[in-house]
Amino acid sequence: MTAQDILSRVDHTLLRADATWEDIHTLCEEALRYRTASACIPSAFVRRARDAFPTLTICTVIGFPLGNASLAAKEAETRAALADGADEFDMVIPIGALKAGDTAAVTAEITALKAIVGPRILKVIIETCLLTEEEKLAACRCVTEGGADFIKTSTGFAAKGADLRDMPLLRAHIGPGVRIKAAGGIRTLEAMEAFLDAGASRIGASGAVSLLAPELGGQ
């Protein structure tokens, strides 16, 4: 797998609370230069990024990072980001509802946000480090039944990020139309390759470009 193969599956990400427009601008420039799958940025920056980079695939986050905003708030955030020009949306599920066994609420929320984004990509963050195996299986059902495009392992803001050991379980229990995004703590070339080999279609990472650009001659 070449450096460009990997980068083409990376959501080049900057979601830190202290990120400035200058930081986001640099990230977007890098995403275009190195042809990453997207630039994943906070929703507050989507409009400026779309105006500055009209051809860039822009991903943003909804209900991030805790997932415990109301559905109405998540719907409003999604509509605003869509109007501002976002192409892809990474939502955080209501994790407490899942852990309480209210899978109907989780599925309904996914369904509602997918209805807003329509044909655009919706990724659903389940925060695997907070879930039991049974809850991970329930999350797979919710994501599939809700019509999402991806199940995503982690926000990168919890105690732990993606765990390679979760990949076979997720792959075996998501629907045939659902892909996997692994994110959180994936910082080495070996880790990226391992998650991709294990079935991930996307990698969420902040350091992939700086790691792999030298292999492309820093072009």
Side-chain angles (χ1 to χ4, degrees):
M1 193 175 296
T2 68
Q4 189 58 64
D5 289 336
I6 296 172
L7 287 171
S8 70
R9 304 183 195 185
V10 166
D11 288 339
H12 191 27
T13 302
L14 178 55
L15 298 169
R16 296 194 324 265
D18 62 347
T20 66
W21 167 241
E22 289 72 21
D23 298 327
I24 297 295
H25 192 278
T26 297
L27 180 98
C28 292
E29 287 182 324
E30 291 172 344
L32 277 177
R33 183 181 312 130
Y34 295 104
R35 291 175 285 163
T36 63
S38 77
C40 186
I41 61 177
S43 59
F45 293 107
V46 168
R47 170 50 61 191
R48 291 182 76 178
R50 172 54 65 220
D51 290 344
F53 301 95
T55 64
L56 178 65
T57 298
I58 297 174
C59 174
T60 195
V61 288
I62 304 297
F64 193 88
L66 300 178
N68 55 6
S70 69
L71 173 56
K74 290 180 179 177
E75 288 175 326
E77 187 177 19
T78 303
R79 289 192 182 98
L82 181 63
D84 284 345
D87 302 294
E88 301 187 0
F89 303 80
D90 289 19
M91 63 167 286
V92 187
I93 62 165
I95 299 165
L98 181 71
K99 295 189 73 66
D102 192 358
T103 55
V106 178
T107 302
E109 184 169 292
I110 296 167
T111 301
L113 297 195
K114 182 57 179 173
I116 293 170
V117 306
R120 294 168 181 81
I121 288 176
L122 178 68
K123 310 186 198 93
V124 178
I125 306 170
I126 65 170
E127 204 71 279
T128 50
C129 72
L130 301 181
L131 306 180
T132 66
E133 181 169 324
E134 182 178 347
E135 289 162 352
K136 292 171 191 174
L137 296 179
C140 288
R141 291 192 295 272
C142 292
V143 172
T144 300
E145 293 170 7
D149 303 282
F150 279 81
I151 189 168
K152 178 178 170 182
T153 61
S154 320
T155 62
F157 285 76
K160 187 178 178 182
D163 189 328
L164 194 61
R165 293 171 295 183
D166 286 326
M167 295 299 291
L169 182 145
L170 299 180
R171 195 174 63 245
H173 291 91
I174 52 177
V178 182
R179 291 171 282 173
I180 300 172
K181 176 177 174 179
I186 304 175
R187 299 188 178 93
T188 67
L189 173 60
E190 292 75 19
M192 291 177 208
E193 290 180 327
F195 276 100
L196 291 170
D197 288 343
S201 297
R202 292 279 187 95
I203 299 291
S206 58
V209 165
S210 60
L211 183 67
L212 294 170
E215 296 193 29
L216 299 173
Q219 62 189 28

